[in-house]
Amino acid sequence: MRVLVRATPAPGEGAQGSAWTSRTGQYALYGLEDGSYDLQVDWPQGQSFRVEVAGDTRFDVQLQGSTLSGVVREHADKSPLAGVFVQLKTEESASQPSRQALTDRRGSFSFHNLDPASYRLFIHKTGYEPALRVQDVSETAADLAISLERASGGIVRIRDAETNQPVPSVAVSVRDGEIFLMTLPLMLGADGSAPLPRELVGRDLTFLHPHYQSVKVERWNGAPLDIEMVLH
């Protein structure tokens, strides 16, 4: 992952510098005069360091928190999949905001600065069966190998009840009886359809959109769904 590093003179005057890290985590800032600098690292929640520069100066940055990374591949031929949506949410707190990432051309994704905990991942790409994973993250880095199969069933199609036109995007709230599990975004295709994860079979689903009334499906049995949503 590339990280932006900025150096600002401590008094707020003089030359500044910024650079992106390479794939190996290296960075270099040129043209800085000797003196004290505040080094800011673009990172979840941000981190800052005070650096004394005297000529060529080496300053290694050790970022706090754990890392969860992985690679998503096509199940059949094991080729990497780019543009896969990956959502991360802690298992312990339903109210904590989720974090999102898209895989790069190598199929890679990563989340950094994580507290040790159990996390739930939702992995989705149009035309493929979505996947759900639960991963424990400790103080060391965790790596995942994920494969997605071509979509074969469990399709939901969502339309406007009045115009019969596809609804472009919705979220689905997932519950197991009285227990809230998660809220997942659904990226719908041009016809308003998207595959649903097999792991949602037997769960209570509520389809949500800010401009439409919610639609509930109790104990989804895995069969295709054709849903009409009514404007508020």
Side-chain angles (χ1 to χ4, degrees):
M1 188 197 74
R2 301 178 70 210
V3 175
L4 183 61
V5 181
R6 297 186 180 92
T8 304
E13 299 179 357
Q16 302 183 21
S18 63
W20 288 93
T21 58
S22 67
R23 288 187 297 174
T24 59
Q26 296 178 319
Y27 71 95
L29 303 173
Y30 300 98
L32 300 181
E33 299 177 357
D34 292 354
S36 297
Y37 288 82
D38 291 323
L39 194 71
Q40 292 91 33
V41 180
D42 277 3
W43 193 257
Q45 301 177 2
Q47 295 192 33
S48 299
F49 307 86
R50 177 59 61 88
V51 181
E52 296 294 331
V53 174
D56 291 342
T57 302
R58 180 182 180 90
F59 184 79
D60 294 332
V61 176
Q62 182 67 43
L63 294 171
Q64 300 175 355
S66 300
T67 296
L68 174 61
S69 60
V71 176
V72 183
R73 299 183 182 276
E74 153 76 58
H75 178 75
D77 61 11
K78 307 304 180 185
S79 60
L81 289 175
V84 178
F85 176 83
V86 183
Q87 181 189 45
L88 178 78
K89 193 172 183 63
T90 181
E91 285 265 88
E92 283 75 13
S93 176
S95 61
Q96 183 178 357
S98 62
R99 292 168 59 178
Q100 296 86 33
L102 286 175
T103 59
D104 60 21
R105 58 185 178 84
R106 297 180 297 274
S108 300
F109 68 91
S110 58
F111 296 96
H112 303 271
N113 199 29
L114 300 176
D115 294 329
S118 181
Y119 291 88
R120 184 182 295 267
L121 293 101
F122 173 63
I123 304 101
H124 175 262
K125 182 177 176 66
T126 301
Y128 290 84
E129 294 282 355
L132 292 173
R133 296 288 186 273
V134 176
Q135 177 67 37
D136 291 327
V137 175
S138 63
E139 294 181 357
T140 58
D143 291 296
L144 294 176
I146 299 168
S147 62
L148 295 184
E149 298 183 15
R150 292 284 180 177
S152 59
I155 301 295
V156 59
R157 184 180 178 221
I158 302 178
R159 295 171 291 126
D160 183 293
E162 182 176 353
T163 66
N164 203 37
Q165 294 299 308
V167 176
S169 63
V170 298
V172 55
S173 173
V174 184
R175 306 185 71 92
D176 187 2
E178 296 299 319
I179 302 174
F180 171 80
L181 297 178
M182 72 187 83
T183 298
L184 303 175
L186 283 184
M187 297 181 289
L188 305 175
D191 62 348
S193 66
L196 291 172
R198 295 190 183 99
E199 290 89 339
L200 298 188
V201 172
R203 309 293 193 187
D204 297 324
L205 310 180
T206 302
F207 294 89
L208 307 168
H209 189 285
H211 302 312
Y212 291 88
Q213 299 176 21
S214 61
V215 177
K216 296 182 179 180
V217 177
E218 295 185 355
R219 299 293 179 184
W220 179 53
N221 61 7
L225 297 173
D226 195 350
I227 292 176
E228 294 184 344
M229 302 193 81
V230 178
L231 287 168
H232 288 299

